[in-house]
Amino acid sequence: WPELWEDWHAQLMKHNQAFDLGITLSDHQTFRAVFESAVASDRLQNELIALASFSHQVGGVHLDVEVKVEQTSRAAISRFRRFVQTLATRLHRLKPRRQLSIFLPSGTYAHLYDTKALRTIDWVVLQGYDAHFLDSPRAGPVAPLAGTDAVSWEKMLQLADSMKLPHNRLLMGFPLYGYEWTVPSCQPRGVHQGIGGLTSLLPLKAMPNASFRGDIQSQVARHGAQVETESTSLYYLFDNGQGSCTVGWFEDSWSLKIKADWLKQNGLAGLAFFPLGYDQGVLTRILRDHWPRP
């Protein structure tokens, strides 16, 4: 698909910007098919090197591999780790040098990588979101800084430390989306009915998918917002007229500044926003002003 980049490529050249190719793999059967085969994994690596060499606007490759170690084989994991090391070496040897970054999920997903493979990687994006998600048992913050949730920024940093990752190569994933649930108890962290829905910080021109419910800004304008201090996250809560309440959890400029200060205090490299555009550039500009480059 490099031929489909023409408009994007032209804009990047105009503004002298680079981008990384994001490669996603989240199916354990596909993971085994690729990484239990030397032929398949070598072919994938050669294709990635060719794509990274397509243009000087390609700054590198970003791997988003989300497979639990217990769902795959030792042989596939071992070859994947060698694949990462070799890919990094080949990207670094290109002229100009390309970088390799990875997304590091929480839990056993993270153990696809070992210390040796991680040493070769330029940037690691820690999972800073989805502490609660569409079909999680309860409503709750998407990106808590601290607290008892299974995923929090503090716990992800502890995971990175256990894997001996230097703080100056770490970025934390920051969500520009939120989740909204129907909660019979009308408690912000209550058990919810059905599957939740996605929200964006500001209105979008088109609905991304069927589970999308609208924008946070409109809900807050109608119902106000409340703060949970420990998680440094926000929520709105209102009676939906159907014998239950609607609760929506999200991050905004207030929580962004607190979490950016926490990143500075811990010496992290910065934030990775996801998905770009869900804030119409508002939060990304705030971070730029709040945390200017040296």
Short mmCIF file of all heavy atoms in Angstrom, two decimals, residues 163-216:
data_model
loop_
_atom_site.label_atom_id
_atom_site.label_comp_id
_atom_site.label_asym_id
_atom_site.label_seq_id
_atom_site.Cartn_x
_atom_site.Cartn_y
_atom_site.Cartn_z
N MET A 163 11.44 -4.80 33.57
CA MET A 163 12.05 -5.24 32.32
C MET A 163 13.30 -4.44 31.98
O MET A 163 13.83 -4.54 30.89
CB MET A 163 11.02 -5.16 31.19
CG MET A 163 9.77 -5.99 31.47
SD MET A 163 8.49 -5.87 30.18
CE MET A 163 9.11 -7.09 29.01
N LYS A 164 13.74 -3.61 32.96
CA LYS A 164 14.98 -2.85 32.86
C LYS A 164 14.99 -1.89 31.65
O LYS A 164 16.00 -1.71 30.99
CB LYS A 164 16.20 -3.78 32.78
CG LYS A 164 16.35 -4.65 34.04
CD LYS A 164 17.56 -5.53 33.95
CE LYS A 164 17.89 -6.26 35.25
NZ LYS A 164 16.80 -6.55 36.15
N LEU A 165 13.83 -1.26 31.42
CA LEU A 165 13.71 -0.30 30.32
C LEU A 165 14.10 1.09 30.81
O LEU A 165 13.56 1.57 31.81
CB LEU A 165 12.28 -0.27 29.79
CG LEU A 165 11.87 -1.47 28.94
CD1 LEU A 165 10.37 -1.51 28.77
CD2 LEU A 165 12.57 -1.44 27.59
N PRO A 166 15.03 1.77 30.14
CA PRO A 166 15.40 3.14 30.53
C PRO A 166 14.21 4.09 30.40
O PRO A 166 13.48 4.05 29.41
CB PRO A 166 16.51 3.51 29.54
CG PRO A 166 16.98 2.24 28.95
CD PRO A 166 15.81 1.31 28.97
N HIS A 167 14.01 4.94 31.39
CA HIS A 167 12.87 5.85 31.38
C HIS A 167 12.91 6.81 30.19
O HIS A 167 11.86 7.23 29.69
CB HIS A 167 12.82 6.66 32.68
CG HIS A 167 12.34 5.85 33.85
ND1 HIS A 167 11.87 6.42 35.01
CD2 HIS A 167 12.25 4.50 34.03
CE1 HIS A 167 11.51 5.47 35.86
NE2 HIS A 167 11.75 4.30 35.30
N ASN A 168 14.10 7.17 29.73
CA ASN A 168 14.19 8.15 28.64
C ASN A 168 13.84 7.56 27.28
O ASN A 168 13.88 8.25 26.27
CB ASN A 168 15.57 8.80 28.60
CG ASN A 168 16.69 7.82 28.30
OD1 ASN A 168 16.46 6.62 28.17
ND2 ASN A 168 17.90 8.32 28.20
N ARG A 169 13.48 6.27 27.23
CA ARG A 169 13.00 5.66 25.99
C ARG A 169 11.53 5.24 26.10
O ARG A 169 11.02 4.56 25.23
CB ARG A 169 13.86 4.45 25.62
CG ARG A 169 15.26 4.83 25.19
CD ARG A 169 15.95 3.72 24.42
NE ARG A 169 16.39 2.63 25.27
CZ ARG A 169 15.98 1.37 25.14
NH1 ARG A 169 15.10 1.04 24.23
NH2 ARG A 169 16.44 0.43 25.95
N LEU A 170 10.87 5.69 27.16
CA LEU A 170 9.48 5.30 27.40
C LEU A 170 8.51 6.43 27.06
O LEU A 170 8.75 7.59 27.41
CB LEU A 170 9.28 4.91 28.87
CG LEU A 170 10.09 3.75 29.42
CD1 LEU A 170 9.79 3.57 30.90
CD2 LEU A 170 9.79 2.47 28.66
N LEU A 171 7.41 6.07 26.41
CA LEU A 171 6.29 6.98 26.21
C LEU A 171 5.05 6.31 26.79
O LEU A 171 4.94 5.08 26.78
CB LEU A 171 6.07 7.30 24.74
CG LEU A 171 7.22 8.01 24.01
CD1 LEU A 171 8.05 6.99 23.24
CD2 LEU A 171 6.69 9.06 23.07
N MET A 172 4.14 7.10 27.29
CA MET A 172 2.90 6.55 27.84
C MET A 172 1.75 6.84 26.88
O MET A 172 1.62 7.96 26.38
CB MET A 172 2.59 7.17 29.20
CG MET A 172 1.48 6.48 29.96
SD MET A 172 1.89 4.81 30.53
CE MET A 172 3.00 5.20 31.91
N GLY A 173 0.95 5.81 26.62
CA GLY A 173 -0.20 5.99 25.74
C GLY A 173 -1.30 6.78 26.43
O GLY A 173 -1.72 6.46 27.54
N PHE A 174 -1.75 7.85 25.78
CA PHE A 174 -2.78 8.73 26.34
C PHE A 174 -4.01 8.70 25.44
O PHE A 174 -3.92 9.00 24.24
CB PHE A 174 -2.25 10.16 26.46
CG PHE A 174 -3.18 11.09 27.19
CD1 PHE A 174 -3.01 11.33 28.55
CD2 PHE A 174 -4.22 11.74 26.53
CE1 PHE A 174 -3.87 12.18 29.24
CE2 PHE A 174 -5.07 12.60 27.20
CZ PHE A 174 -4.89 12.82 28.56
N PRO A 175 -5.19 8.35 25.98
CA PRO A 175 -6.38 8.22 25.13
C PRO A 175 -7.06 9.55 24.82
O PRO A 175 -7.28 10.36 25.71
CB PRO A 175 -7.30 7.33 25.97
CG PRO A 175 -6.95 7.69 27.38
CD PRO A 175 -5.46 8.00 27.38
N LEU A 176 -7.39 9.74 23.57
CA LEU A 176 -8.21 10.88 23.16
C LEU A 176 -9.67 10.46 22.99
O LEU A 176 -10.46 11.17 22.38
CB LEU A 176 -7.66 11.48 21.86
CG LEU A 176 -6.24 12.03 21.97
CD1 LEU A 176 -5.74 12.52 20.62
CD2 LEU A 176 -6.17 13.15 23.01
N TYR A 177 -9.99 9.30 23.51
CA TYR A 177 -11.35 8.78 23.47
C TYR A 177 -11.79 8.48 24.91
O TYR A 177 -10.98 8.48 25.84
CB TYR A 177 -11.42 7.48 22.65
CG TYR A 177 -10.63 6.35 23.27
CD1 TYR A 177 -11.23 5.44 24.13
CD2 TYR A 177 -9.27 6.20 23.01
CE1 TYR A 177 -10.50 4.43 24.73
CE2 TYR A 177 -8.53 5.20 23.59
CZ TYR A 177 -9.15 4.30 24.45
OH TYR A 177 -8.43 3.30 25.03
N GLY A 178 -13.07 8.23 25.08
CA GLY A 178 -13.59 7.80 26.36
C GLY A 178 -14.56 6.65 26.16
O GLY A 178 -14.82 6.23 25.03
N TYR A 179 -15.10 6.14 27.27
CA TYR A 179 -16.12 5.10 27.20
C TYR A 179 -17.34 5.57 27.98
O TYR A 179 -17.24 6.28 28.97
CB TYR A 179 -15.62 3.80 27.82
CG TYR A 179 -14.58 3.07 27.00
CD1 TYR A 179 -13.36 2.72 27.57
CD2 TYR A 179 -14.81 2.74 25.67
CE1 TYR A 179 -12.41 2.03 26.83
CE2 TYR A 179 -13.86 2.07 24.92
CZ TYR A 179 -12.65 1.70 25.51
OH TYR A 179 -11.71 1.04 24.77
N GLU A 180 -18.49 5.10 27.52
CA GLU A 180 -19.76 5.43 28.16
C GLU A 180 -20.52 4.13 28.40
O GLU A 180 -20.57 3.26 27.53
CB GLU A 180 -20.56 6.35 27.23
CG GLU A 180 -21.76 7.00 27.86
CD GLU A 180 -22.41 8.00 26.90
OE1 GLU A 180 -21.96 9.16 26.84
OE2 GLU A 180 -23.36 7.59 26.19
N TRP A 181 -21.09 4.00 29.62
CA TRP A 181 -21.81 2.77 29.98
C TRP A 181 -23.17 3.11 30.59
O TRP A 181 -23.37 4.19 31.14
CB TRP A 181 -21.03 1.97 31.02
CG TRP A 181 -19.71 1.43 30.61
CD1 TRP A 181 -19.45 0.24 30.00
CD2 TRP A 181 -18.43 2.04 30.82
NE1 TRP A 181 -18.10 0.07 29.82
CE2 TRP A 181 -17.45 1.16 30.32
CE3 TRP A 181 -18.01 3.24 31.41
CZ2 TRP A 181 -16.09 1.45 30.36
CZ3 TRP A 181 -16.66 3.53 31.44
CH2 TRP A 181 -15.71 2.63 30.92
N THR A 182 -24.08 2.15 30.57
CA THR A 182 -25.35 2.22 31.28
C THR A 182 -25.19 1.48 32.60
O THR A 182 -24.88 0.28 32.63
CB THR A 182 -26.48 1.57 30.46
OG1 THR A 182 -26.61 2.27 29.22
CG2 THR A 182 -27.79 1.63 31.21
N VAL A 183 -25.39 2.21 33.72
CA VAL A 183 -25.12 1.65 35.06
C VAL A 183 -26.39 1.72 35.92
O VAL A 183 -26.83 2.81 36.29
CB VAL A 183 -23.97 2.43 35.74
CG1 VAL A 183 -23.69 1.86 37.12
CG2 VAL A 183 -22.72 2.40 34.89
N PRO A 184 -27.01 0.57 36.23
CA PRO A 184 -28.25 0.58 37.03
C PRO A 184 -28.08 1.19 38.41
O PRO A 184 -29.01 1.83 38.93
CB PRO A 184 -28.60 -0.92 37.13
CG PRO A 184 -27.96 -1.54 35.93
CD PRO A 184 -26.68 -0.77 35.73
N SER A 185 -26.91 1.02 39.05
CA SER A 185 -26.71 1.52 40.41
C SER A 185 -26.46 3.02 40.46
O SER A 185 -26.47 3.62 41.54
CB SER A 185 -25.52 0.81 41.05
OG SER A 185 -24.31 1.20 40.41
N CYS A 186 -26.23 3.63 39.31
CA CYS A 186 -25.91 5.06 39.23
C CYS A 186 -24.62 5.40 39.99
O CYS A 186 -24.45 6.54 40.44
CB CYS A 186 -27.07 5.93 39.69
SG CYS A 186 -28.48 5.88 38.56
N GLN A 187 -23.72 4.43 40.11
CA GLN A 187 -22.41 4.66 40.70
C GLN A 187 -21.39 4.80 39.57
O GLN A 187 -21.43 4.04 38.60
CB GLN A 187 -22.01 3.51 41.62
CG GLN A 187 -22.91 3.35 42.83
CD GLN A 187 -22.88 4.58 43.73
OE1 GLN A 187 -21.81 5.10 44.05
NE2 GLN A 187 -24.05 5.05 44.10
N PRO A 188 -20.44 5.73 39.68
CA PRO A 188 -19.49 5.94 38.57
C PRO A 188 -18.64 4.72 38.25
O PRO A 188 -18.20 4.55 37.12
CB PRO A 188 -18.63 7.11 39.06
CG PRO A 188 -18.87 7.21 40.53
CD PRO A 188 -20.24 6.70 40.77
N ARG A 189 -18.43 3.85 39.24
CA ARG A 189 -17.69 2.61 39.01
C ARG A 189 -18.59 1.38 39.14
O ARG A 189 -18.14 0.29 39.48
CB ARG A 189 -16.52 2.50 40.00
CG ARG A 189 -15.32 3.39 39.68
CD ARG A 189 -14.25 3.24 40.74
NE ARG A 189 -13.00 3.89 40.41
CZ ARG A 189 -11.95 3.29 39.85
NH1 ARG A 189 -12.01 2.02 39.53
NH2 ARG A 189 -10.84 3.97 39.62
N GLY A 190 -19.86 1.55 38.85
CA GLY A 190 -20.82 0.47 39.02
C GLY A 190 -20.76 -0.58 37.93
O GLY A 190 -20.18 -0.37 36.85
N VAL A 191 -21.37 -1.74 38.21
CA VAL A 191 -21.55 -2.79 37.20
C VAL A 191 -22.48 -2.24 36.12
O VAL A 191 -23.49 -1.61 36.41
CB VAL A 191 -22.15 -4.06 37.84
CG1 VAL A 191 -22.44 -5.11 36.78
CG2 VAL A 191 -21.21 -4.60 38.90
N HIS A 192 -22.12 -2.48 34.86
CA HIS A 192 -22.92 -1.89 33.78
C HIS A 192 -23.72 -2.95 33.03
O HIS A 192 -23.46 -4.15 33.13
CB HIS A 192 -22.02 -1.11 32.81
CG HIS A 192 -21.04 -1.95 32.06
ND1 HIS A 192 -21.35 -2.62 30.91
CD2 HIS A 192 -19.74 -2.23 32.31
CE1 HIS A 192 -20.29 -3.27 30.47
NE2 HIS A 192 -19.30 -3.06 31.31
N GLN A 193 -24.70 -2.47 32.28
CA GLN A 193 -25.54 -3.34 31.45
C GLN A 193 -25.00 -3.34 30.03
O GLN A 193 -24.68 -2.28 29.48
CB GLN A 193 -26.99 -2.84 31.43
CG GLN A 193 -27.73 -2.98 32.75
CD GLN A 193 -29.14 -2.43 32.65
OE1 GLN A 193 -29.40 -1.51 31.87
NE2 GLN A 193 -30.04 -2.98 33.44
N GLY A 194 -24.95 -4.51 29.42
CA GLY A 194 -24.54 -4.60 28.03
C GLY A 194 -23.10 -4.17 27.81
O GLY A 194 -22.28 -4.17 28.74
N ILE A 195 -22.80 -3.79 26.60
CA ILE A 195 -21.46 -3.35 26.22
C ILE A 195 -21.46 -1.83 26.12
O ILE A 195 -22.44 -1.23 25.68
CB ILE A 195 -21.03 -3.98 24.87
CG1 ILE A 195 -20.93 -5.51 25.04
CG2 ILE A 195 -19.70 -3.43 24.40
CD1 ILE A 195 -20.60 -6.24 23.76
N GLY A 196 -20.37 -1.21 26.55
CA GLY A 196 -20.27 0.24 26.52
C GLY A 196 -20.15 0.79 25.11
O GLY A 196 -20.17 0.06 24.12
N GLY A 197 -20.01 2.10 25.03
CA GLY A 197 -19.84 2.77 23.75
C GLY A 197 -18.64 3.71 23.78
O GLY A 197 -18.22 4.16 24.85
N LEU A 198 -18.09 3.99 22.61
CA LEU A 198 -16.95 4.89 22.48
C LEU A 198 -17.40 6.33 22.39
O LEU A 198 -18.46 6.63 21.85
CB LEU A 198 -16.16 4.55 21.21
CG LEU A 198 -15.18 3.39 21.27
CD1 LEU A 198 -14.81 2.96 19.86
CD2 LEU A 198 -13.93 3.80 22.04
N THR A 199 -16.56 7.23 22.90
CA THR A 199 -16.79 8.67 22.75
C THR A 199 -15.48 9.33 22.35
O THR A 199 -14.39 8.81 22.65
CB THR A 199 -17.28 9.29 24.08
OG1 THR A 199 -16.35 8.96 25.12
CG2 THR A 199 -18.65 8.77 24.46
N SER A 200 -15.56 10.46 21.70
CA SER A 200 -14.38 11.25 21.37
C SER A 200 -14.40 12.53 22.19
O SER A 200 -15.47 12.99 22.62
CB SER A 200 -14.35 11.60 19.87
OG SER A 200 -15.49 12.36 19.52
N LEU A 201 -13.25 13.13 22.40
CA LEU A 201 -13.20 14.34 23.22
C LEU A 201 -14.03 15.45 22.59
O LEU A 201 -14.79 16.14 23.27
CB LEU A 201 -11.76 14.80 23.40
CG LEU A 201 -11.59 15.96 24.38
CD1 LEU A 201 -11.90 15.52 25.81
CD2 LEU A 201 -10.18 16.53 24.32
N LEU A 202 -13.91 15.64 21.28
CA LEU A 202 -14.66 16.65 20.54
C LEU A 202 -15.41 15.99 19.39
O LEU A 202 -15.10 14.86 19.01
CB LEU A 202 -13.71 17.74 20.02
CG LEU A 202 -13.06 18.62 21.10
CD1 LEU A 202 -11.98 19.49 20.51
CD2 LEU A 202 -14.12 19.47 21.79
N PRO A 203 -16.40 16.67 18.82
CA PRO A 203 -17.20 16.04 17.76
C PRO A 203 -16.35 15.63 16.56
O PRO A 203 -15.41 16.32 16.18
CB PRO A 203 -18.20 17.14 17.37
CG PRO A 203 -18.25 18.05 18.54
CD PRO A 203 -16.88 18.03 19.15
N LEU A 204 -16.71 14.49 15.96
CA LEU A 204 -16.06 14.02 14.75
C LEU A 204 -17.02 14.17 13.57
O LEU A 204 -18.24 14.13 13.74
CB LEU A 204 -15.65 12.54 14.89
CG LEU A 204 -14.71 12.21 16.04
CD1 LEU A 204 -14.43 10.70 16.07
CD2 LEU A 204 -13.40 12.98 15.92
N LYS A 205 -16.45 14.32 12.39
CA LYS A 205 -17.29 14.50 11.21
C LYS A 205 -18.05 13.22 10.86
O LYS A 205 -19.14 13.26 10.32
CB LYS A 205 -16.41 14.92 10.02
CG LYS A 205 -15.84 16.33 10.16
CD LYS A 205 -15.00 16.70 8.95
CE LYS A 205 -14.43 18.11 9.10
NZ LYS A 205 -13.57 18.48 7.94
N ALA A 206 -17.43 12.08 11.16
CA ALA A 206 -18.06 10.80 10.84
C ALA A 206 -17.93 9.86 12.03
O ALA A 206 -16.95 9.91 12.77
CB ALA A 206 -17.41 10.17 9.60
N MET A 207 -18.94 8.99 12.21
CA MET A 207 -18.89 8.01 13.29
C MET A 207 -17.87 6.93 12.93
O MET A 207 -17.98 6.31 11.87
CB MET A 207 -20.27 7.37 13.49
CG MET A 207 -21.33 8.34 13.95
SD MET A 207 -21.01 9.03 15.59
CE MET A 207 -22.52 9.94 15.91
N PRO A 208 -16.88 6.67 13.80
CA PRO A 208 -15.86 5.67 13.47
C PRO A 208 -16.41 4.26 13.33
O PRO A 208 -15.96 3.49 12.49
CB PRO A 208 -14.88 5.76 14.64
CG PRO A 208 -15.13 7.09 15.26
CD PRO A 208 -16.59 7.35 15.06
N ASN A 209 -17.40 3.87 14.16
CA ASN A 209 -17.95 2.52 14.08
C ASN A 209 -19.30 2.49 14.79
O ASN A 209 -19.76 3.49 15.34
CB ASN A 209 -16.99 1.48 14.68
CG ASN A 209 -16.59 1.84 16.11
OD1 ASN A 209 -17.45 2.06 16.94
ND2 ASN A 209 -15.30 1.90 16.37
N ALA A 210 -19.92 1.32 14.79
CA ALA A 210 -21.28 1.19 15.31
C ALA A 210 -21.38 1.42 16.81
O ALA A 210 -22.46 1.77 17.31
CB ALA A 210 -21.82 -0.19 14.96
N SER A 211 -20.28 1.24 17.54
CA SER A 211 -20.33 1.40 19.00
C SER A 211 -20.10 2.85 19.43
O SER A 211 -20.11 3.15 20.62
CB SER A 211 -19.27 0.50 19.66
OG SER A 211 -17.97 0.95 19.34
N PHE A 212 -19.93 3.75 18.47
CA PHE A 212 -19.62 5.14 18.79
C PHE A 212 -20.88 5.88 19.22
O PHE A 212 -21.91 5.81 18.55
CB PHE A 212 -18.99 5.82 17.58
CG PHE A 212 -18.32 7.13 17.90
CD1 PHE A 212 -17.09 7.15 18.52
CD2 PHE A 212 -18.93 8.33 17.61
CE1 PHE A 212 -16.46 8.35 18.83
CE2 PHE A 212 -18.33 9.53 17.91
CZ PHE A 212 -17.08 9.54 18.52
N ARG A 213 -20.80 6.63 20.34
CA ARG A 213 -21.99 7.28 20.90
C ARG A 213 -21.96 8.80 20.83
O ARG A 213 -22.92 9.45 21.22
CB ARG A 213 -22.17 6.86 22.36
CG ARG A 213 -22.52 5.39 22.51
CD ARG A 213 -22.88 5.05 23.94
NE ARG A 213 -23.20 3.65 24.09
CZ ARG A 213 -23.48 3.07 25.25
NH1 ARG A 213 -23.48 3.80 26.37
NH2 ARG A 213 -23.75 1.79 25.31
N GLY A 214 -20.87 9.40 20.39
CA GLY A 214 -20.84 10.86 20.31
C GLY A 214 -19.63 11.43 21.00
O GLY A 214 -18.63 10.74 21.21
N ASP A 215 -19.73 12.70 21.38
CA ASP A 215 -18.55 13.38 21.91
C ASP A 215 -18.72 13.77 23.38
O ASP A 215 -19.83 14.06 23.84
CB ASP A 215 -18.21 14.61 21.07
CG ASP A 215 -19.26 15.70 21.19
OD1 ASP A 215 -20.32 15.57 20.56
OD2 ASP A 215 -19.01 16.67 21.94
N ILE A 216 -17.61 13.79 24.08
CA ILE A 216 -17.57 14.09 25.51
C ILE A 216 -17.93 15.54 25.78
O ILE A 216 -18.64 15.86 26.75
CB ILE A 216 -16.16 13.77 26.06
CG1 ILE A 216 -15.91 12.26 25.96
CG2 ILE A 216 -15.97 14.27 27.47
CD1 ILE A 216 -14.46 11.86 26.00
#
